Amino acid sequence: MTEAYIYDAVRTPRGKGRKDGSLHEVTSVALSATVLNSLKERNNLEGHAVEDVIWGNVTQVKEQGGCLARTAVLASDLDEMIPGLAINRFCASGMEAVNLAANQIKGGAGDAYIAGGVEMMGRVPMGSDGAAIAVDPSVAMDMYFVPQGISADIIATEYGFTRDQADQLAVESQRRAAVAWDEGRFDKSIVAVKDINGLTILDKDEYMRPGTDMQSLGGLKAAFKEQGEVMPGFDKLAIMKYPHLEKINHIHHAGNSSGIVDGSAGVLIGNKEFGEKYGIKPRAKIRQTCKIGLDPTIMLTGPVPATQKILKDAGMAISDIDLFEVNEAFASVVMRFQQVFDVDSNVINVNGGSIAMGHPLGATGAIIIGTLLDELERQDKETGLATLCIASGMGAATIIERV
C-alpha cells in the first residue's frame, strides 16, 4: 500500500470566541483561505496540485454551511479545479479530514490532499445548528442525552477524580502553553492573520491566562451543577442510565474546561511522488488511523477505546509511543486517559492544550496533529499519538511516525 506522508502543517492563532475576540471580524471562509494560501505559498504548489481539500467544521449553518470547503478553495489562491469536501465528526472533524485524506492516498485515490478544518465559535455559536440528538425529545430521551459538561462530570464521578486534580491539570496546561509560546515552539506552524491592508490582526493565541493558579480556579463556580441538579435536571437522567451513581460530582468549570475560540488549521498530505514533484521532503508518515463509537451518555471517554483500537490495529503497545496529544475538552477526559494507560504526564500535551489555548471544534484535530509533529521534531522523538473525545459518544486517533 502507498504511504501517506505529512509534508507540512500550519494553523492560525486561536482568538477568543466572542464579539471582542481579535478574529471576530474574520469569516470562516476567510480564515480557511488564510490557511490554504499559506500551505500553497510555503510549498510552491501550482495548478491542480492536490486532489481535494477535505475540511472539517462542526456547526454547518450560515457562513459555515453550504460546503464550506469548496467555498474556501474558491476564496483562496488555489486552482479552481481543486474541489472541496466539508465533513463533520464533531470535535474530531479536523482529525477525520486528515485521516480520510491519508487513507485516500494509501488507497491510490490521488497523490496529495490538503486536510484540516475551521470553527468560528464567536460568529457561529456552538449548537446553533439545532442537532436532533440534543433538541429532538424522541431521540434525546432514548439516548439518555446530557450536555457534554454533565458527561465530563459523570466521568469524574465514575472514576473518582476530584476538583483539585482537575484544577491542577488546568494550571499545568496554562503553564506549559506559556512556556511553549515564550520559547517559540509554535513558530514553525503559526500563520498570522492579517486584514485586507496587510496589518496583523492576531499572531498569538489570545485565550491563554498564564497567571492561573489553584486559588483563582478555586473561586470559580461549577459550571454544570445548576444545569444538572435544578433545571432541566440532567443529573436525574444520567442516574437513570447509571443507577450505581448516587450523585453526580460537579467538578468542571470554565477554568478546567476547553475554551471557546476561533481558529483554523491545515495539513498537506501526499505520497512519495508528490514530494519529489514539488521538491519537498516528508516530515512524517501517517502510520495508523481509527474511529470508534461508544456510550452516548458518558460520551467523552473515546480516547481510551480509540487508543486501544489503534494500537491493536498497528501492532503496537502504549510503550511504543513517545509523545501524546489528548485533547483537553475537559480535565477529566485527560485524567481518564492517564488513569487507564498509566502514561507519564511529561509526555502528554507537552505544550499545553485546549484548556489553555481553546478548542475551535472543527480545527482542533488538525491542530493537535501539527503540534504533535512539531514537538516530535523538537525533541528528536520518533512516534506520536493524537486522540480526541467526540460528542454523542465517539473517539478518534492518529499515529504519526517521523521519517
Side-chain angles (χ1 to χ4, degrees), residues 13 54 121 125 149 199 218 226 237 302 309 331 348:
I54 305 178
M121 301 180 74
L199 300 176
E226 184 173 343
L237 187 62
K309 182 179 189 300
I348 300 178

Side-chain angles (χ1 to χ4, degrees), residues 19 45 79 81 88 93 114 138 155 190 223 282 291 319 326 333:
K19 291 183 178 180
L45 304 181
D79 193 294
M81 296 296 290
N88 182 2
S93 296
I114 293 175
S138 67
I155 294 172
I190 288 292
K291 57 271 186 185
S319 58
V326 182
V333 174

Side-chain angles (χ1 to χ4, degrees), residues 46-207:
E46 297 178 353
H48 198 168
V50 299
E51 186 77 13
D52 203 355
V53 170
I54 305 178
W55 217 238
N57 65 290
V58 174
T59 310
Q60 296 189 351
V61 295
K62 300 180 180 178
E63 68 182 55
Q64 291 187 170
C67 192
L68 171 62
R70 175 58 176 165
T71 310
V73 169
L74 295 174
S76 75
D77 296 331
L78 292 177
D79 193 294
E80 66 178 12
M81 296 296 290
I82 298 170
L85 172 64
I87 66 166
N88 182 2
R89 200 186 289 281
F90 294 132
C91 300
S93 296
M95 174 177 284
E96 185 62 24
V98 172
N99 291 352
L100 180 58
N103 290 325
Q104 293 269 57
I105 291 167
K106 289 181 179 182
D111 291 336
Y113 288 74
I114 293 175
V118 68
E119 206 78 34
M120 301 302 289
M121 301 180 74
R123 295 177 61 91
V124 186
M126 181 171 53
S128 59
D129 53 347
I133 195 168
V135 303
D136 183 345
S138 67
V139 176
M141 292 300 292
D142 288 345
M143 303 288 179
Y144 291 89
F145 170 82
V146 299
Q148 288 187 37
I150 304 292
S151 297
D153 287 336
I154 294 172
I155 294 172
T157 306
E158 177 72 20
Y159 299 108
F161 304 130
T162 67
R163 172 154 172 169
D164 277 354
Q165 288 175 311
D167 287 356
Q168 286 167 358
L169 187 148
V171 169
E172 182 63 10
S173 180
Q174 294 283 356
R175 187 194 70 79
R176 293 183 181 190
V179 169
W181 271 104
D182 289 344
E183 295 185 355
R185 297 184 188 179
F186 301 129
D187 288 354
K188 181 185 294 185
S189 302
I190 288 292
V191 178
V193 182
K194 299 182 178 182
D195 65 15
I196 58 174
N197 298 311
L199 300 176
T200 298
I201 298 173
L202 186 66
D203 59 6
K204 183 177 180 179
D205 293 325
E206 71 172 343
Y207 184 80

Side-chain angles (χ1 to χ4, degrees), residues 80-386:
E80 66 178 12
M81 296 296 290
I82 298 170
L85 172 64
I87 66 166
N88 182 2
R89 200 186 289 281
F90 294 132
C91 300
S93 296
M95 174 177 284
E96 185 62 24
V98 172
N99 291 352
L100 180 58
N103 290 325
Q104 293 269 57
I105 291 167
K106 289 181 179 182
D111 291 336
Y113 288 74
I114 293 175
V118 68
E119 206 78 34
M120 301 302 289
M121 301 180 74
R123 295 177 61 91
V124 186
M126 181 171 53
S128 59
D129 53 347
I133 195 168
V135 303
D136 183 345
S138 67
V139 176
M141 292 300 292
D142 288 345
M143 303 288 179
Y144 291 89
F145 170 82
V146 299
Q148 288 187 37
I150 304 292
S151 297
D153 287 336
I154 294 172
I155 294 172
T157 306
E158 177 72 20
Y159 299 108
F161 304 130
T162 67
R163 172 154 172 169
D164 277 354
Q165 288 175 311
D167 287 356
Q168 286 167 358
L169 187 148
V171 169
E172 182 63 10
S173 180
Q174 294 283 356
R175 187 194 70 79
R176 293 183 181 190
V179 169
W181 271 104
D182 289 344
E183 295 185 355
R185 297 184 188 179
F186 301 129
D187 288 354
K188 181 185 294 185
S189 302
I190 288 292
V191 178
V193 182
K194 299 182 178 182
D195 65 15
I196 58 174
N197 298 311
L199 300 176
T200 298
I201 298 173
L202 186 66
D203 59 6
K204 183 177 180 179
D205 293 325
E206 71 172 343
Y207 184 80
M208 297 185 300
R209 292 155 292 183
T212 299
D213 57 23
M214 292 294 288
Q215 286 184 322
S216 61
L217 294 184
L220 296 178
K221 180 181 178 182
F224 310 104
K225 183 178 176 66
E226 184 173 343
Q227 191 178 39
E229 295 180 353
V230 182
M231 188 178 69
F234 285 109
D235 285 8
K236 291 182 179 179
L237 187 62
I239 291 172
M240 288 174 63
K241 179 76 173 282
Y242 314 113
H244 63 285
L245 301 179
E246 296 181 2
K247 181 178 172 36
I248 305 300
N249 182 23
H250 293 285
I251 70 166
H252 290 93
H253 50 73
N256 59 28
S257 307
S258 57
I260 293 174
V261 294
D262 303 324
S264 183
V267 181
L268 177 62
I269 308 160
N271 58 22
K272 181 181 178 182
E273 291 73 21
F274 169 77
E276 291 173 346
K277 178 179 179 180
Y278 286 94
I280 50 178
K281 294 182 179 180
R283 296 170 62 188
K285 68 178 180 181
I286 297 179
R287 177 162 176 172
Q288 195 74 39
T289 71
C290 86
K291 57 271 186 185
I292 198 165
L294 56 119
D295 178 350
T297 307
I298 202 166
M299 192 186 309
L300 305 175
T301 55
V304 171
T307 297
Q308 291 167 335
K309 182 179 189 300
I310 199 170
L311 290 173
K312 180 179 179 181
D313 291 348
M316 301 174 72
I318 198 76
S319 58
D320 294 324
I321 306 297
D322 297 312
L323 294 173
F324 299 84
E325 284 288 324
V326 182
N327 186 40
E328 295 175 351
F330 298 89
S332 64
V333 174
V334 182
M335 290 192 290
R336 177 57 180 160
F337 185 91
Q338 291 177 281
Q339 184 183 60
V340 171
F341 296 108
D342 193 27
V343 176
D344 193 312
S345 62
N346 290 323
V347 297
I348 300 178
N349 302 342
V350 173
N351 297 310
S354 292
I355 288 175
M357 293 173 285
H359 177 19
L361 307 177
T364 302
I367 289 175
I368 65 174
I369 289 173
T371 299
L372 181 61
L373 176 55
D374 285 348
E375 187 61 22
L376 285 170
E377 291 175 340
R378 189 183 75 84
Q379 293 193 29
D380 195 22
K381 297 295 177 76
E382 181 178 352
T383 306
L385 184 152

